[in-house]
Structure formats: C-alpha cells, structure tokens
Amino acid sequence: MKNYLSERARKLAPYTAGEQPKDRKYVKLNTNENPYPPSPKAAEVLHSFDAESLKLYPAPDSSALCAAIAAAEGVEPENVFCGNGSDEILALCLPAFFDEGGEGAAFADITYSFYPVFCRFFGVPYTQIPLEEDFTLDLEKLTRASAQGVIVANPNAPTGIGISLPEIENFVRENSGRVVILDEAYMPFFGQSAVPLIRQYKNLLVVKTFSKGYSLAGMRCGYAVGDVSLIDGLCRCKDCFNSYPVDRVCQAVCAAAVSDGAYYAQKNALVISERERLSDALRALGFQVLPSKSNFVFARHGRLAGREVYEGLRARGVLVRWFDKPRIADFVRITVGSPEENAALLYALSELVR
Ligand SMILES: *Cc1c(COP(=O)(O)O)cnc(C)c1O
C-alpha cells in the first residue's frame, strides 16, 4: 500500500509521555501532577464562565493573562508570552532562536527528553553534555559547548536536582553571546526563579508552566518571561503556526490561578514537606534518593533493578516512571503525591523490598 506520510513524519521518534492506563484504578505517581486541587478562585472562574463568549476567538496574545502573570512575576506584560502548555513554548523556541543546520543547541544528556525531540523536528543540531557522576550539571562544560543557544531545566528532570540562583546568574552572564533558555517547570518547589534577572540579561528566557505548581495540567498553559526582543521572536513563530493557542477558558482560569499566589504557596509547601518525608522513608527502605528540589524524587534501590521496581509497583496498582536509558535504568521517578498516595506507594514498596 502507498505510504502517504512525508519522509519527515516517517523518520520522527516522538516523545513518550507517561502512561495513562484505564485498565484499573492506579495510584498515579508517574507524570508529576500536583496532588492538590487548583485554587478555589480559579475553580470559581471556571464554574461561572460565560459559555456564550466561546463563539468568539480568544485574545490572540492572551493579553489579560499576560498582565496577570506580569503582576505576579514583577515584570511588564510585554515581557510575557503565553502558550498551549510550556511544551509548545519550548518547541517555538527552536525556530525562534536556532538556525536550521546552524551551530545548534546544547543541553545535558540526562534532562527533559522533549529537547532532543524538538531539535530533530526543527532540524536543529544538538550537543548533549554528560552530567557528572552525582548527576549534577557542570555549567562550565555547558558554557564551553559550541552552540547557538543552551537549554537548562532547573530543577532538572528527571533527577530533581536544583541549581542555585547565583550559579545561574553567573552562567547567564558567561553566556551573554547567546540565548539561555531556562525551563523552570518545577521552580514552585525550589523557589529560586531567575525571572528577576531578565531585566539585566537580554539573552535570558525563563519558561514556566501552570501544569505542576498550579495544579492545572489539564488546562494546558505555560508562559515565557524575557526581554521584548525574545518575546517578539516567539510571537513571530506563533503567528506562523497557531494565532490563538490559548483558549478563552484557559486564559480566564489561569489568570485567576496566577493571582492567587498565597493559596499555591501553602499547597506547594505541603508538597515540599511531603517530598522530604518520602525521601527519608525511601532511604529507610534501601533506596538512594537524589536530593530533589522538585515535586518528584529520583531513586534507585541497592538490590532491585529499576524495571523490577516499576513493574512490581504497577502490579500493586502504583504507577511510577521508569526510563530504559543508559545511566538511569536503575532509577524510578516517583511523583510526590498526597500523604495517602505516598503511604500506598511506601506500603507497596515495603512488600517489594521484602
Ligand atoms: C512537565 C514539564 C514541562 C511542561 O509541561 P506543560 O504541561 O507542557 O506545560 C516542561 N518541562 C519540563 C522539564 C517538565 O517536566
């Protein structure tokens, strides 16, 4: 039969998201969703939403949402760009800041696995800098890499390791000749955002999401903060692809969410304290746990292989994420859930380890 796919589509190796199985009810600790509900103020906006307004297209530049984000982040609205999930923004960064077949992008070998997928999709070459033995990133090695721009997830995924703000500032300064894209998807659980640096460093773009820290993964919204020239590059690319990426409901709900910082500060503090409790409990069960600054932990057992832990937990109704990749195949990534979910995980693990 004739193959109707383009050569490009046939050659793609897409990103694999965490599984969402329907065969039974699982304790779902595999995609780093927040265990707490969204802000009641965001829920109220959703419940009272004027359905009639949906006959009209939304604001193409998400202007009211950008203003709400700007107020929360202490920047100007023209420094903010909104997208349909931060994945979409990270994807738009490639055509915006990298030339096809040019010097390319540089990032860690163990980091968010969407980066190489995006690079291949847009024909941008990439260099991967190996993490150190302890899974930290040597920023000097990344600085020395020849590339048109660099991408750093801080805290990193799937390791959970965070880089302090002074180190990030030094890195951004040393890379002033090229764009630095900081993926701060997990920053709500670390609290050292580089957003205040965007005024001083015109090469810095900080990308954030409503999916993790704002309990709105189902809404699909993310944003970038940076100098107007970078924001303009993203807008130019967006308008060649999808002029209205953020729908009306999403703009309204996310604006309410980002304006309710107090609620999220409280809930995310609970996630952080539960993360520390979970890390200690895992260590007591014989796991090595990397020091996490995110809403998940990355852990390996002394005797059990990563696949055994993943499969054993799955059979007991608990989903975690396992990556069949060099260096990290013995680890599992476990989302910090509610206290009840974490208790279920620890109970299943105690059975497995025994
Ligand atoms: C979850 C995640 C994102 C993005 O998520 P969206 O849901 O598309 O906003 C981006 N980067 C990293 C490292 C993530 O883990």
Side-chain angles (χ1 to χ4, degrees):
M1 212 184 84
K2 181 168 162 48
N3 187 334
Y4 295 102
L5 298 191
S6 67
E7 195 177 319
R8 171 195 281 239
R10 268 181 273 152
K11 285 187 177 159
L12 290 177
Y15 171 78
T16 21
E19 58 191 325
Q20 312 274 7
K22 298 277 176 286
D23 58 324
R24 60 181 277 195
K25 200 160 160 29
Y26 287 94
V27 174
K28 205 174 159 299
L29 301 176
N30 68 333
T31 47
N32 299 342
E33 287 134 331
N34 200 305
Y36 297 105
S39 141
K41 291 179 181 154
E44 169 56 26
V45 167
L46 181 64
H47 292 137
S48 60
F49 192 81
D50 170 21
E52 168 118 27
S53 72
L54 291 176
K55 70 185 182 191
L56 302 174
Y57 280 106
D61 53 359
S62 305
S63 39
L65 175 55
C66 285
I69 292 168
E73 293 280 8
V75 298
E76 299 305 317
E78 57 265 31
N79 295 121
V80 182
F81 176 88
C82 294
N84 184 211
S86 61
D87 286 340
E88 182 184 69
I89 299 173
L90 292 165
L92 289 173
C93 282
L94 284 144
F97 310 123
F98 298 87
D99 290 301
E100 228 174 290
E103 264 208 295
F107 40 81
D109 64 338
I110 299 166
T111 186
Y112 193 34
S113 50
F114 236 135
Y115 307 151
V117 173
F118 290 143
C119 286
R120 291 193 298 267
F121 189 58
F122 288 100
V124 171
Y126 58 92
T127 311
Q128 290 174 295
I129 307 302
L131 294 184
E132 305 302 294
E133 271 306 301
D134 62 358
F135 297 98
T136 57
L137 173 60
D138 183 343
L139 287 174
E140 289 193 4
K141 288 184 183 165
L142 195 52
T143 299
R144 283 198 298 272
S146 96
Q148 193 171 1
V150 292
I151 310 175
V152 176
N154 187 35
N156 196 16
T159 64
I161 292 174
I163 304 169
S164 75
L165 186 53
E167 288 175 275
I168 288 287
E169 177 164 11
N170 188 44
F171 176 73
V172 173
R173 189 187 306 113
E174 289 190 338
N175 284 272
S176 61
R178 58 190 181 187
V179 67
V180 174
I181 297 162
L182 278 185
D183 181 350
E184 293 193 349
Y186 298 104
M187 194 49 81
F189 314 101
F190 186 25
Q192 301 212 21
S193 177
V195 163
L197 303 179
I198 63 127
R199 241 178 257 283
Q200 194 180 345
Y201 301 97
K202 310 291 179 205
N203 61 323
L204 173 63
L205 187 81
V206 180
V207 181
K208 297 191 168 187
T209 177
F210 284 93
S211 298
K212 317 283 169 46
Y214 287 94
S215 306
L216 287 168
M219 229 38 280
R220 307 304 304 127
C221 194
Y223 60 96
V225 188
D227 186 65
V228 286
S229 65
L230 301 181
I231 299 303
D232 181 54
L234 290 171
C235 291
R236 294 169 65 89
C237 292
K238 168 192 87 92
D239 287 334
C240 292
F241 181 67
N242 181 0
S243 319
Y244 305 99
V246 187
D247 68 64
R248 278 179 176 268
V249 179
C250 183
Q251 291 189 28
V253 170
C254 289
V258 79
S259 308
D260 196 3
Y263 170 85
Y264 287 108
Q266 187 210 349
K267 291 300 181 233
N268 290 333
L270 292 177
V271 173
I272 292 168
S273 71
E274 195 63 9
R275 171 185 81 204
E276 300 308 317
R277 203 185 66 87
L278 180 61
S279 300
D280 290 342
L282 288 169
R283 290 188 185 105
L285 286 170
F287 283 87
Q288 178 202 356
V289 185
L290 299 190
S292 174
K293 299 295 181 194
S294 59
N295 69 337
F296 57 84
V297 296
F298 203 47
R300 72 177 149 199
H301 194 259
R303 280 181 290 106
L304 299 170
R307 180 198 280 273
E308 287 177 278
V309 175
Y310 161 72
E311 286 176 352
L313 284 175
R314 199 177 195 286
R316 288 167 176 79
V318 181
L319 287 183
V320 298
R321 192 94 200 258
W322 171 64
F323 301 92
D324 190 8
K325 286 189 181 164
R327 294 188 69 189
I328 55 169
D330 274 336
F331 283 84
V332 288
R333 191 196 70 190
I334 307 169
T335 304
V336 177
S338 65
E340 299 72 33
E341 290 171 318
N342 300 333
L345 164 89
L346 289 168
Y347 180 76
L349 276 177
S350 67
E351 277 189 359
L352 255 183
V353 166
R354 207 189 315 125

